[in-house]
Amino acid sequence: MARTRSRAEAIAAVRAVSDPLSRAKLASQLITESQHTEAELTRLRRQAIDEAVESGISATAIADELNLSKGRISQIRSGGPALERIMFGVGPISIGLPLRPIAGRSLPVIASEDSIARDELTKLLDKLNFTVTPEDIDPRKAWRPASPDLLAICGPKSSPTIAAVLAKDEHLRFTLDEADHWGIDDIGAGRRYSSPMDEAEPKLRDVAYVGRLPFDNDRTVFIVAGVHAIGSLGAVHYLRSNLASLYAKVGERNFSVVIASDHEAEGTILRSELACTPAIH
């Protein structure tokens, strides 16, 4: 449902549906979209009030202008949707996981690390008041989710759609080395981020790409892509604890960055950190 339609047009469209179940489904869809729109407008109001205060306008003047009390202005600044919420869009959000082919099995499967990463990221998105729809990314065909905002825990090997999106990043690029190991090249710095898991003496450490990139004409996709699946889980570990600080660096702009993480043998993430300065696109 286009966000540019007026409220009257949207309601009229629901009333015009004769089938009651279809009408209920469309009404539910519009309710969800309006809830996300309200959350974003609330976030924008908080951001604007913060900017006004930082520019030197008094809380009294702001309260008078908005016809609110000073106490309400204080409540708005201290509560409401987090400013960093916008990094994932307005919502609702589709979260895609890649289906991975397994030798000897006719059907592809989802890696357990990817599934855990989606669960952990969904907890973060729930906290930010997003409605989330899980989706499979089939490596055999294009990924075309219907949600307004998209998130993929997926690398270039597992999806031609994600590979095409990642190829547009002029700062960080997934490539294969001579040993057919994936890594992330920092084009500007002339540096390669390889996974320590691929070394002659493997270490319990991996790296991951995290970024927001254009997806199609009017949508972006937030991508988390470990060199190995555990790297994606490490990147989600970083996002859950450091989303606000990452937002302070990149704001509402498209970006990409490398996250490094250490883990235990059974897959528990011990620590995660930025491996480079975020590249702004």
Side-chain angles (χ1 to χ4, degrees):
M1 195 65 60
R3 288 181 179 149
T4 55
R5 290 201 317 178
S6 72
R7 180 174 61 178
E9 289 173 332
I11 293 174
V14 175
R15 287 178 174 150
V17 177
S18 58
D19 178 69
L21 291 181
S22 297
R23 188 163 68 250
K25 183 177 179 180
L26 180 58
S28 295
Q29 177 186 342
L30 288 171
I31 289 169
T32 298
E33 291 185 5
S34 66
Q35 289 170 340
H36 284 79
T37 299
E38 180 180 353
E40 173 58 10
L41 290 173
T42 304
R43 189 198 71 86
L44 285 169
R45 181 177 63 176
R46 175 184 174 183
Q47 183 185 54
I49 291 173
D50 285 349
E51 290 176 3
V53 171
E54 291 167 4
S55 72
I57 301 175
S58 70
T60 299
I62 296 171
D64 289 343
E65 185 68 24
L66 298 184
N67 197 27
L68 298 171
S69 68
K70 287 180 61 178
R72 181 62 181 135
I73 295 298
S74 178
Q75 289 176 344
I76 291 171
R77 297 193 67 199
S78 62
L83 298 183
E84 60 269 21
R85 181 184 192 273
I86 192 58
M87 295 186 70
F88 298 112
V90 175
I93 295 177
S94 289
I95 300 186
L97 289 189
L99 298 173
R100 301 176 185 270
I102 299 294
R105 298 189 59 167
S106 59
L107 297 175
V109 300
I110 291 176
S112 60
E113 296 92 342
D114 286 343
S115 180
I116 295 170
R118 179 164 64 184
D119 289 344
E120 292 299 302
L121 201 47
T122 297
K123 292 177 184 177
L124 172 60
L125 294 170
D126 286 343
K127 186 177 179 181
L128 295 171
N129 296 319
F130 282 109
T131 298
V132 177
T133 301
E135 293 202 10
D136 295 335
I137 300 178
D138 192 326
R140 299 162 296 185
K141 58 185 180 182
W143 185 47
R144 291 291 179 265
S147 295
D149 293 300
L150 314 175
L151 195 156
I153 304 174
C154 182
K157 178 182 177 181
S158 303
S159 166
T161 301
I162 298 302
V165 172
L166 288 168
K168 298 176 183 178
D169 188 336
E170 299 179 352
H171 304 275
L172 298 174
R173 187 72 51 83
F174 272 93
T175 61
L176 287 166
D177 62 16
E178 295 179 354
D180 279 343
H181 292 145
W182 286 97
I184 305 169
D185 292 334
D186 187 329
I187 299 169
R191 177 178 178 180
R192 179 173 177 80
Y193 294 93
S194 301
S195 173
M197 295 175 65
D198 294 326
E199 296 176 0
E201 296 183 4
K203 299 179 178 64
L204 296 178
R205 185 173 175 84
D206 198 18
V207 293
Y209 175 104
V210 171
R212 185 176 58 228
L213 299 171
F215 184 80
D216 51 23
N217 292 335
D218 59 355
R219 292 189 293 180
T220 59
V221 56
F222 195 103
I223 296 177
V224 175
V227 169
H228 297 279
I230 192 68
S232 295
L233 185 55
V236 172
H237 178 275
Y238 179 86
L239 291 171
R240 289 198 67 188
S241 301
N242 300 279
L243 187 65
S245 63
L246 183 58
Y247 172 74
K249 294 179 175 65
V250 304
E252 300 181 16
R253 298 166 292 183
N254 289 344
F255 74 96
S256 54
V257 71
V258 177
I259 305 293
S261 60
D262 299 304
H263 59 274
E264 295 180 337
E266 72 274 14
T268 302
I269 303 300
L270 297 174
R271 63 189 62 88
S272 55
E273 61 186 359
L274 291 178
C276 65
T277 302
I280 306 301
H281 298 191

